[in-house]
Amino acid sequence: MNIAIVGTGYVGLVSGTCFAEMGVRVYCVDTDTQKVEALKRGIVPIYEPGLEELVLKNIEERRLSFHTSLSEVVNRVEMLFIAVGTPTGEEGQADLKYVFEVAREIGATADTHLLVVTKSTVPVGTTDRVESVIREGYRARGLEDLPLDMANNPEFLKEGAAIKDFMSPDRVVVGYRSEYAKEMMAKLYRPFLLNNYRVIGMDILSSELTKYASNAMLATRISFMNELANLAEALGADISLVREGMGSDQRIGKAFLYPGCGYGGSCFPKDVQALASTGRELGVPMTIIDSVHRANERQKLRPFEKLKAYLGDLKGKKIAVWGLAFKPETDDMRQAPAIEVISHLVLEGAEVYAFDPIAMENAERILPRSVQYGSNIYDVAEGADAVVLLTEWKQFRLPNWGKIKELMRGNLVIDGRNIYQPAELEALGFRYTGIGRK
């Protein structure tokens, strides 16, 4: 099987590489010439554990190649995945200009029977609109009868575990209309699901909505627990114990009930806003989803608010920040809580020293220029009035607190992810505060 994937961002590059690993011939297409040239040499522009090794392997074995021209490959393949970005517009809606650019190019260049699959996260109804744009291009070239099939195949990858998620998915959702599309998608995914074949087929509109519904539900659980944690803190209760009690109910479960300083990344913030925008367009109020987004934006500032409450005037205070990426095992800074926390600290006149194992290069392009960066957590803690943990990297879980106590000027520890034991730190002379804990 030969397939093309247009877009070499997170979704496109991971998908293309994993398909190639299963023996598929994959042509990855991107208009960014520098990125494509780097990928041809095996230089991966994103950090994802295991990805660079798989890219190099499949380039060497000639199953994976990178191109800047869609017309160069479109007639070599049976299937074409659209995996370009859909950034958030001014009103929260998904910006589909890149999706339709691909559709127009397919319509202008394809001469063979294609199955076109939307893999980008797109509003409900977009796949049908993509088909209309392609067919319009066919008609303009006198190819009204050229066969065309459509499908939607949303991704459910977790950054930091994307290879594992793709290679061993718990389910694959596919929206289609034709038996041909159903059979081709089943053939493509069968190698990934030999022991647990779970391709969930449905109509295209339902498939598109499933992606948004899934991310919105997970975001809702996070924001709900964050608000509950804030209430627990005000009441003097411990949210960790509350989570254990409620999560033990099988109807609820424990997944995504960890309170913290808010979610970030490329998916949850964008998809929650896009779903709410779709509701507004159709006159269907999405009040819960709107509240989820607002609650998350407030939650990102909880560590900053705690610093103000404990230290008062922050001018001239040295604050050590541990973790900048929106989650561990990625260098992704998009919508990361660290951006809001650090920006507010700088505005207040604080001196910010930050460390992240992977994301500092990206952070330097995003955060205020006054931010200083260290080589490890001890480096940035030296002389600090407070330490703020924002990303729960594994290497942050068991620091040498005795050494940190000696290095710091102050003794405040703000645990934005609740990974430390309050009693342990307090016994060493620290002032500890987490999210929703005594």
Side-chain angles (χ1 to χ4, degrees), residues 6 36 68 85 95 107 116 153 162 185 191 220 252 334-335 390 399:
V6 185
V36 168
T68 55
D95 185 344
V116 175
N153 176 214
M185 295 300 288
T220 298
I252 299 172
R334 285 174 290 184
Q335 302 292 318
L390 297 180

Side-chain angles (χ1 to χ4, degrees), residues 223-234:
S223 284
F224 173 74
M225 282 304 288
N226 284 337
E227 290 204 328
L228 201 60
N230 297 339
L231 179 61
E233 196 171 320

Side-chain angles (χ1 to χ4, degrees), residues 221-222 224-226 228-229 232 237-250 252-260 417-418 435-437:
R221 287 172 69 96
I222 293 170
F224 173 74
M225 282 304 288
N226 284 337
L228 201 60
D238 188 332
I239 195 63
S240 300
L241 300 177
V242 174
R243 176 185 180 274
E244 183 179 358
M246 65 185 290
S248 298
D249 187 329
Q250 293 183 358
I252 299 172
K254 296 182 179 180
F256 282 80
L257 292 186
Y258 291 92
R417 299 296 177 182
N418 287 358
I435 306 295
R437 305 172 88 175

Side-chain angles (χ1 to χ4, degrees), residues 306-319:
K306 285 176 173 287
L307 283 167
K308 290 277 289 182
Y310 277 83
L311 298 181
D313 185 5
L314 295 175
K315 187 173 182 180
K317 296 290 196 305
K318 179 177 177 180
I319 310 299

Side-chain angles (χ1 to χ4, degrees), residues 69-135:
S69 171
L70 176 56
S71 61
E72 177 186 333
V73 304
V74 69
N75 293 310
R76 302 183 195 178
V77 302
E78 294 86 42
M79 302 173 64
L80 185 148
F81 285 79
I82 299 177
V84 294
T86 53
T88 301
E90 293 182 2
E91 302 299 324
Q93 79 282 9
D95 185 344
L96 300 175
K97 63 182 178 183
Y98 302 117
V99 172
F100 292 125
E101 282 178 8
V102 176
R104 284 190 288 271
E105 189 163 0
I106 295 170
T109 58
D111 294 320
T112 59
H113 181 191
L114 272 181
L115 169 58
V116 175
V117 184
T118 51
K119 198 159 185 66
S120 302
T121 300
V122 293
V124 179
T126 300
T127 303
D128 290 342
R129 293 172 62 193
V130 167
E131 180 179 10
S132 296
V133 171
I134 295 172
R135 290 193 182 280

